[in-house]
Amino acid sequence: MYDDSSYDDASDGLLSLATRVAGLAGGPVTIEDDASELITYSPGQENSDDARVATILSRRVPDRYRTLLRTEHLDERLAGSSGPFYADLRGAGILPRAIMPIRAGDTAIGSIWAIVPSSPSPEQRAALEESAALLAPLLARQAERRLAADARRAAAVRALLRGGDEAVETARELSLGPGPLAVVAVRPLPSAPAAAPGPYDSLGDGPYDTPYEGPYEGPCVGPGGPPGDPLRRALADLDRRLSAFRPGGLSAEVDGVGYAVVPAGDEQRLLRAVGEPPGTVAGVGRTVPGPGRLGRSRADADLVVRLLTRLGAAERTAHIRDVQLDALLMRTVDLAVEAGHDPLGALAELEDYDRRRGTALLDSVDRYLAAGEDARLAARQLHVHPNTLRYRLRRAQEITGLDLSDPAAAFDIRLRLRLRALRLP
């Protein structure tokens, strides 16, 4: 067994350990934590490949390798293994690896990845097992520090989001500056399942040993969260984008939503920087002049996220100014439901009729009005004969008592049809 007294979890100690492990394993080594953020690696690029080089340069595994490794079920093998195993990925252009889980008891806290030409020998297996045993307490201490840093960061973000004097004081401690500022909120879509914790999921946004400690003047400080958590992945991706936009922000998970407080100026540039992270929706609140008013920007961002989630539309990112009307309508729907009213009014009868009879009267009315009351155009879009559409419209008017030829009634129907879309989960 190794004598662990010569190693610690500082960067120099970890580098020395990685170098020794590489010598014993017979190939270049990377060591990752449970979220697959790069902790350290052995020097030298001999017998290396693009996956290793790209991981070292970005301090994380590039996105293009994630799907491949999930397809190869390496995440499942890591989760279920206590010893090293061999993965031959040459068919995908990646050199073979000997992979060794690092565990603290029954909990996976990291992994060793060694490039080897063939299945590891008994001596190599023993070297990897002993290395993992030595690394386990070091990674556990780092995980504890990360959790503590995450808790401090979440407390700071929570204080900023409340606005008022507390936010002003917190911003001063963080050297965040007086403004302008904006809040960005992100939330995974309900249809986006959490991936199992795997070797290339939940990537962070930079070096592991950069915890939040008081005043911060670097890029957006990334979130914590359990490995494989889609919210953590979304926040990590958002951090990278926002850091390129303007450094100096802060992000964390608060009450199940990811938030970033960002120095802002050009709102269009900010919106482009947020982008459209896959599997999530993102809302950008108004730009406020200082931290004391961040509560308003947070309320905007929350409203946008709720709206986009409810609509389930192709658009996954929006600024409050671009969806303000729909956001107000959504709040109208909420108030109507709370008061026991159906926001559809008379159209609720038509919706119920369609549900019981298997007809499509309400959708036909919707398509007819959207086509500018052009029956032939609407019929083509519905793939029915114009006479069939006209019959459906007459039946809809008989059931609801609404006259589609009356401009006021048509406007009322259009508004309630929009409310119908905003009522959907």
Side-chain angles (χ1 to χ4, degrees), residues 107-176:
T107 304
I109 59 174
S111 56
I112 302 170
W113 298 69
I115 297 179
V116 293
S118 59
S119 182
S121 67
E123 292 77 14
Q124 289 173 316
R125 292 178 62 87
L128 289 169
E129 289 172 349
E130 292 177 357
S131 300
L134 181 58
L135 280 162
L138 307 184
L139 268 61
R141 288 197 293 270
Q142 286 198 343
E144 290 175 0
R145 288 202 299 269
R146 185 185 66 190
L147 289 174
D150 289 346
R152 292 193 297 271
R153 183 171 55 249
V157 171
R158 190 184 296 272
L160 290 171
L161 295 177
R162 283 195 286 264
D165 294 340
E166 183 182 12
V168 173
E169 180 60 28
T170 300
R172 186 179 298 114
E173 294 173 358
L174 296 172
S175 299
L176 192 58

Side-chain angles (χ1 to χ4, degrees), residues 244-263:
F245 165 67
R246 179 174 290 185
L250 193 70
S251 70
E253 178 184 345
V254 176
D255 300 329
V257 180
Y259 292 100
V261 178
V262 190

Side-chain angles (χ1 to χ4, degrees), residues 14 60-61 162 171 190 192 319 344 346 364 373 397 413:
L14 289 169
R60 63 186 183 92
V61 178
R162 283 195 286 264
H319 192 285
L344 291 187
S364 297
E373 302 182 28
Q397 291 182 121
I413 295 171

Side-chain angles (χ1 to χ4, degrees), residues 42-412:
S42 60
Q45 302 305 322
E46 300 82 4
N47 303 316
S48 190
D49 59 12
D50 179 69
R52 171 180 159 85
V53 173
T55 297
I56 292 171
L57 291 176
S58 61
R59 305 290 299 185
R60 63 186 183 92
V61 178
D63 296 345
R64 61 184 178 273
Y65 295 115
R66 294 185 190 180
T67 302
L68 168 66
L69 295 173
R70 279 198 295 271
T71 301
E72 297 292 331
H73 304 291
L74 295 186
D75 51 352
E76 298 174 9
R77 296 182 69 182
L78 260 177
S81 299
S82 57
F85 59 91
Y86 179 69
D88 189 343
L89 303 173
R90 281 173 291 195
I94 299 175
L95 292 175
R97 258 72 164 174
I99 306 169
M100 177 66 208
I102 303 172
R103 295 185 177 277
D106 294 332
T107 304
I109 59 174
S111 56
I112 302 170
W113 298 69
I115 297 179
V116 293
S118 59
S119 182
S121 67
E123 292 77 14
Q124 289 173 316
R125 292 178 62 87
L128 289 169
E129 289 172 349
E130 292 177 357
S131 300
L134 181 58
L135 280 162
L138 307 184
L139 268 61
R141 288 197 293 270
Q142 286 198 343
E144 290 175 0
R145 288 202 299 269
R146 185 185 66 190
L147 289 174
D150 289 346
R152 292 193 297 271
R153 183 171 55 249
V157 171
R158 190 184 296 272
L160 290 171
L161 295 177
R162 283 195 286 264
D165 294 340
E166 183 182 12
V168 173
E169 180 60 28
T170 300
R172 186 179 298 114
E173 294 173 358
L174 296 172
S175 299
L176 192 58
L181 300 166
V183 173
V184 181
V186 294
R187 176 183 289 169
L189 287 167
S191 59
Y200 287 80
D201 282 338
S202 303
L203 300 173
D205 62 312
Y208 186 94
D209 53 350
T210 312
Y212 159 64
E213 294 283 0
Y216 183 77
E217 298 178 354
C220 289
V221 183
D229 181 356
L231 179 55
R232 181 178 179 181
R233 291 201 301 272
L235 265 178
D237 181 66
L238 179 64
D239 286 336
R240 289 189 290 272
R241 293 171 179 268
L242 294 180
S243 295
F245 165 67
R246 179 174 290 185
L250 193 70
S251 70
E253 178 184 345
V254 176
D255 300 329
V257 180
Y259 292 100
V261 178
V262 190
D266 187 326
E267 292 182 341
Q268 286 295 337
R269 285 189 60 219
L270 173 58
L271 191 61
R272 288 195 298 270
V274 173
E276 295 191 2
T280 65
V281 292
V284 182
R286 75 187 75 179
T287 299
V288 294
R293 298 187 183 181
L294 278 171
R296 293 184 177 181
S297 187
R298 185 256 179 100
D300 289 343
D302 282 340
L303 206 56
V304 176
V305 165
R306 283 187 57 219
L307 175 67
L308 296 181
T309 301
R310 184 174 290 191
L311 286 174
E315 183 177 14
R316 299 293 172 82
T317 301
H319 192 285
I320 183 62
R321 67 162 181 270
D322 298 322
V323 294
Q324 192 169 31
L325 180 58
D326 274 349
L328 291 173
L329 290 175
M330 182 179 67
R331 297 182 69 177
T332 300
V333 170
D334 294 339
L335 290 172
V337 172
E338 288 174 10
H341 302 303
D342 192 324
L344 291 187
L347 295 186
E349 298 178 43
L350 199 55
E351 188 177 55
D352 181 65
Y353 182 92
D354 282 337
R355 185 166 45 248
R356 288 186 290 105
R357 302 292 185 90
T359 53
L361 302 184
L362 185 54
D363 287 340
S364 297
V365 171
D366 189 359
R367 187 63 61 92
Y368 171 70
L369 294 175
E373 302 182 28
D374 185 331
R376 292 186 177 277
L377 174 60
R380 284 199 302 271
Q381 293 172 345
L382 289 168
H383 306 290
V384 299
H385 193 277
N387 288 341
T388 300
L389 175 63
R390 293 187 183 97
Y391 168 77
R392 291 179 180 179
L393 297 178
R394 286 196 300 272
R395 286 293 297 139
Q397 291 182 121
E398 292 169 1
I399 293 169
T400 62
L402 297 173
D403 183 1
L404 293 176
S405 64
D406 180 357
F411 175 78
D412 181 87

